[in-house]
PDB file of all heavy atoms in Angstrom:
ATOM      1  N   LEU M  11     -30.250  22.828  47.111  1.00  0.00           N
ATOM      2  CA  LEU M  11     -31.546  22.632  47.692  1.00  0.00           C
ATOM      3  C   LEU M  11     -31.559  21.550  48.760  1.00  0.00           C
ATOM      4  O   LEU M  11     -32.435  21.656  49.655  1.00  0.00           O
ATOM      5  CB  LEU M  11     -32.552  22.342  46.622  1.00  0.00           C
ATOM      6  CG  LEU M  11     -32.891  23.445  45.526  1.00  0.00           C
ATOM      7  CD1 LEU M  11     -33.717  23.022  44.396  1.00  0.00           C
ATOM      8  CD2 LEU M  11     -33.603  24.623  46.327  1.00  0.00           C
ATOM      9  N   GLY M  38     -12.456  50.787  48.247  1.00  0.00           N
ATOM     10  CA  GLY M  38     -12.564  51.970  49.223  1.00  0.00           C
ATOM     11  C   GLY M  38     -11.634  51.863  50.392  1.00  0.00           C
ATOM     12  O   GLY M  38     -11.082  52.853  50.823  1.00  0.00           O
ATOM     13  N   PHE M  44      -4.245  53.953  51.594  1.00  0.00           N
ATOM     14  CA  PHE M  44      -3.208  54.691  50.822  1.00  0.00           C
ATOM     15  C   PHE M  44      -3.274  56.259  51.251  1.00  0.00           C
ATOM     16  O   PHE M  44      -2.198  56.907  51.299  1.00  0.00           O
ATOM     17  CB  PHE M  44      -3.352  54.493  49.478  1.00  0.00           C
ATOM     18  CG  PHE M  44      -2.970  53.224  48.868  1.00  0.00           C
ATOM     19  CD1 PHE M  44      -3.746  52.425  48.063  1.00  0.00           C
ATOM     20  CD2 PHE M  44      -1.705  52.586  49.208  1.00  0.00           C
ATOM     21  CE1 PHE M  44      -3.373  51.308  47.541  1.00  0.00           C
ATOM     22  CE2 PHE M  44      -1.281  51.413  48.848  1.00  0.00           C
ATOM     23  CZ  PHE M  44      -2.109  50.624  47.903  1.00  0.00           C
ATOM     24  N   LEU M 127      12.226  51.822  29.156  1.00  0.00           N
ATOM     25  CA  LEU M 127      11.498  53.004  28.653  1.00  0.00           C
ATOM     26  C   LEU M 127      10.250  53.403  29.537  1.00  0.00           C
ATOM     27  O   LEU M 127      10.081  54.537  29.766  1.00  0.00           O
ATOM     28  CB  LEU M 127      10.997  52.791  27.216  1.00  0.00           C
ATOM     29  CG  LEU M 127      12.186  52.527  26.165  1.00  0.00           C
ATOM     30  CD1 LEU M 127      11.518  52.227  24.818  1.00  0.00           C
ATOM     31  CD2 LEU M 127      13.117  53.713  26.121  1.00  0.00           C
ATOM     32  N   ASN M 140       7.392  66.086  42.046  1.00  0.00           N
ATOM     33  CA  ASN M 140       8.386  66.381  43.039  1.00  0.00           C
ATOM     34  C   ASN M 140       8.337  65.302  44.239  1.00  0.00           C
ATOM     35  O   ASN M 140       8.308  65.709  45.450  1.00  0.00           O
ATOM     36  CB  ASN M 140       8.237  67.788  43.655  1.00  0.00           C
ATOM     37  CG  ASN M 140       9.428  68.312  44.459  1.00  0.00           C
ATOM     38  OD1 ASN M 140      10.610  67.819  44.139  1.00  0.00           O
ATOM     39  ND2 ASN M 140       9.210  69.153  45.415  1.00  0.00           N
ATOM     40  N   LYS M 181       7.815  12.652  28.247  1.00  0.00           N
ATOM     41  CA  LYS M 181       6.653  12.920  27.316  1.00  0.00           C
ATOM     42  C   LYS M 181       5.818  11.654  27.001  1.00  0.00           C
ATOM     43  O   LYS M 181       4.628  11.641  26.872  1.00  0.00           O
ATOM     44  CB  LYS M 181       7.254  13.555  26.014  1.00  0.00           C
ATOM     45  CG  LYS M 181       6.123  13.879  25.041  1.00  0.00           C
ATOM     46  CD  LYS M 181       6.741  14.456  23.776  1.00  0.00           C
ATOM     47  CE  LYS M 181       5.676  14.829  22.738  1.00  0.00           C
ATOM     48  NZ  LYS M 181       6.254  15.394  21.497  1.00  0.00           N
ATOM     49  N   THR M 214       8.974  28.172  29.298  1.00  0.00           N
ATOM     50  CA  THR M 214       9.331  29.564  29.779  1.00  0.00           C
ATOM     51  C   THR M 214       9.795  29.619  31.157  1.00  0.00           C
ATOM     52  O   THR M 214      10.147  30.608  31.687  1.00  0.00           O
ATOM     53  CB  THR M 214       8.114  30.458  29.561  1.00  0.00           C
ATOM     54  OG1 THR M 214       7.018  29.928  30.377  1.00  0.00           O
ATOM     55  CG2 THR M 214       7.751  30.684  28.093  1.00  0.00           C
ATOM     56  N   THR M 252       9.652  11.200   7.862  1.00  0.00           N
ATOM     57  CA  THR M 252       9.689  10.990   6.445  1.00  0.00           C
ATOM     58  C   THR M 252      11.089  10.954   5.825  1.00  0.00           C
ATOM     59  O   THR M 252      11.378  10.372   4.811  1.00  0.00           O
ATOM     60  CB  THR M 252       8.929  12.116   5.717  1.00  0.00           C
ATOM     61  OG1 THR M 252       9.508  13.377   6.052  1.00  0.00           O
ATOM     62  CG2 THR M 252       7.421  12.082   6.149  1.00  0.00           C
ATOM     63  N   GLU M 300      22.606  36.359  48.828  1.00  0.00           N
ATOM     64  CA  GLU M 300      22.262  35.156  47.952  1.00  0.00           C
ATOM     65  C   GLU M 300      23.119  35.190  46.643  1.00  0.00           C
ATOM     66  O   GLU M 300      23.605  34.139  46.186  1.00  0.00           O
ATOM     67  CB  GLU M 300      20.873  35.142  47.587  1.00  0.00           C
ATOM     68  CG  GLU M 300      19.914  34.803  48.824  1.00  0.00           C
ATOM     69  CD  GLU M 300      20.267  33.478  49.260  1.00  0.00           C
ATOM     70  OE1 GLU M 300      20.544  32.546  48.557  1.00  0.00           O
ATOM     71  OE2 GLU M 300      20.145  33.305  50.567  1.00  0.00           O
TER      72      GLU M 300
END
Side-chain angles (χ1 to χ4, degrees):
L11 289 173
F44 285 133
L127 298 176
N140 198 29
K181 182 181 178 182
T214 57
T252 56
E300 291 299 322

